[in-house]
Amino acid sequence: QGSIELSTMSVKHVSVHARWIIGKVIGTKMLKTAKVRVTRLVLDPYLLKYYNKRKTYFAHDALQQCTVGDIVLLKALPEARSKHVKHELSEIVHKVGRVVDPLTGKRVAGTDFVEPLTDLEEDKTLSEKLQELNISAASSGADSTPPQPPTS
Amino acid sequence: MPMKGRFPIRRTLEYLQKGDIIFKNKVKIMTVNYNTHGELSEGARKFVFFNIPQIQYKNPWVQIMMFKNMTPSPFLKFYLDHGEQVLVDVEGKDYKQISQHIKKILAKSEEVLQAEAQAKMQASNPANFGPKKYFHRECICEVEGQVPCPGITPLPKEMTGKYRAKMAASQE
């Protein structure tokens, strides 16, 4: 009796259901299209445990910059580009073989860094470093107010 | 086959329903990067083990993905609507701290949840009758103490419509 009407005017122009999805690229053999496998956690009704359920999506990749194995963020297109392609590549989150640690910005291979972390210079003392900072603040222009010394 | 495995309580409906992290509508994807070995990832591992099922149960439309041993430091990343991303560093943190932190930054607050519950209650009045799909009762004959359904037991003659009509017509 109560059939709920979906008014297309109130919904934003996106007619695709999944707005943002993240997945792994499994195929790039199509021109400017990447085949992406998206896994979602689905609850098994008897065991009450979550398992990964896969679904493949096709994404438009204009610059063909994806390789197989990349972790990729897809954005829904406002209208489906073709019968199967309803998403486009938004950004490559983890490029296969060139993963970058988001916290340090350095390249990473598995659980180790590719280059050892050497941003700390051990031979300079702290006072020398502070002197350097003072020099640069004074030379940088009179209109900027001098920085407040940190309250310890 | 009752309770098998480590911490089988994670697999009970009561435990899943006890989850208190309900994300705001703009959170679409949650990604957890953690390592399988190492002290610093211990909190992240426990978080995945204990809290992820609760979060997914309460947020069925959020896509949750886990990545193991991709970076040396464990972190969580949230992808919100309109392209916004939130990075949460969980290195060395305890799993309870992680869930508290997420609750503080990205979950609906208590007032919002209560307001939503109130709105839902007001929208559906349990005193209404109607089709089984939308209401509790279809007819007043289902309630104890009321006149039973005339389809099952015939009404006494004085209550039938045709008797009353006959009486009304004979009086005029």
Side-chain angles (χ1 to χ4, degrees):
Chain A
Q1 192 221 0
S3 61
I4 303 159
E5 275 181 346
L6 282 172
S7 58
T8 47
M9 292 302 286
S10 60
V11 175
K12 276 193 199 167
H13 296 293
V14 181
S15 53
V16 181
H17 195 256
R19 301 262 215 114
W20 292 87
I21 38 178
I22 203 166
K24 187 177 189 176
V25 174
I26 46 175
T28 53
K29 297 235 172 92
M30 295 182 282
L31 277 173
K32 297 191 179 176
T33 314
K35 192 197 278 189
V36 177
R37 173 177 288 157
V38 163
T39 61
R40 291 189 171 96
L41 290 173
V42 172
L43 185 66
D44 183 283
Y46 181 69
L47 295 176
L48 289 181
K49 192 171 170 178
Y50 278 98
Y51 291 99
N52 282 323
K53 183 172 174 176
R54 316 162 153 182
K55 190 167 174 180
T56 39
Y57 288 88
F58 293 103
H60 178 65
D61 173 16
L63 308 165
Q64 278 188 293
Q65 49 182 323
C66 292
T67 33
V68 177
D70 292 347
I71 308 295
V72 134
L73 178 69
L74 305 180
K75 185 181 168 151
L77 290 166
E79 290 299 330
R81 202 187 158 85
S82 75
K83 181 176 164 200
H84 293 286
V85 178
K86 303 174 288 244
H87 301 267
E88 63 166 352
L89 174 74
S90 169
E91 66 159 324
I92 300 179
V93 175
H94 294 127
K95 182 90 190 145
V96 69
R98 298 194 53 111
V99 179
V100 171
D101 183 26
L103 299 164
T104 54
K106 312 257 182 215
R107 277 183 58 197
V108 138
T111 50
D112 306 305
F113 287 97
V114 168
E115 313 107 11
L117 302 166
T118 48
D119 51 341
L120 295 168
E121 294 178 36
E122 295 296 326
D123 44 348
K124 279 197 188 171
T125 60
L126 187 60
S127 50
E128 281 180 37
K129 286 191 197 170
L130 283 173
Q131 277 183 353
E132 271 186 24
L133 286 173
N134 280 337
I135 293 166
S136 60
S139 61
S140 65
D143 35 342
S144 62
T145 53
Q148 296 275 335
T151 54
S152 53
Chain B
M1 203 238 290
M3 297 291 231
K4 286 194 177 183
R6 315 179 276 163
F7 295 97
I9 192 170
R10 299 173 298 138
R11 301 196 290 119
T12 49
L13 270 177
E14 200 184 318
Y15 177 84
L16 291 173
Q17 281 156 3
K18 276 243 172 77
D20 51 357
I21 300 184
I22 299 179
F23 286 129
K24 297 179 183 165
N25 291 336
K26 54 183 180 171
V27 178
K28 300 286 174 192
I29 306 174
M30 173 171 159
T31 306
V32 186
N33 270 276
Y34 64 104
N35 294 333
T36 45
H37 296 87
E39 264 299 324
L40 300 164
S41 272
E42 184 61 36
R45 263 175 273 145
K46 283 212 153 67
F47 176 75
V48 166
F49 191 71
F50 288 112
N51 292 331
I52 292 278
Q54 288 178 320
I55 296 176
Q56 183 75 96
Y57 189 79
K58 289 287 179 176
N59 304 282
W61 297 109
V62 171
Q63 183 194 354
I64 301 182
M65 264 193 110
M66 256 75 78
F67 296 106
K68 293 194 215 175
N69 300 325
M70 284 193 86
T71 66
S73 52
F75 60 92
L76 265 62
K77 198 142 188 203
F78 296 87
Y79 297 86
L80 314 183
D81 221 353
H82 304 301
E84 209 182 317
Q85 295 177 11
V86 179
L87 177 66
V88 180
D89 180 21
V90 299
E91 193 159 358
K93 291 205 181 123
D94 192 33
Y95 73 102
K96 291 207 163 101
Q97 288 173 351
I98 301 171
S99 64
Q100 285 297 323
H101 185 70
I102 293 178
K103 194 168 171 192
K104 197 161 74 166
I105 51 174
L106 285 168
K108 287 185 184 166
S109 59
E110 277 300 320
E111 305 99 40
V112 171
L113 286 172
Q114 274 171 13
E116 280 182 6
Q118 277 278 34
K120 233 169 96 167
M121 274 198 324
Q122 277 168 1
S124 68
N125 189 349
N128 290 337
F129 288 78
K132 269 250 176 288
K133 189 174 165 194
Y134 302 106
F135 302 100
H136 294 289
R137 299 162 298 195
E138 281 192 313
C139 180
I140 192 117
C141 64
E142 291 178 33
V143 179
E144 255 189 53
Q146 297 295 331
V147 172
C149 190
I152 299 172
T153 51
L155 290 171
K157 202 170 83 162
E158 294 82 21
M159 289 167 86
T160 52
K162 63 182 180 185
Y163 179 83
R164 283 187 178 172
K166 198 175 80 173
M167 286 284 119
S170 69
Q171 269 182 2
E172 283 164 19

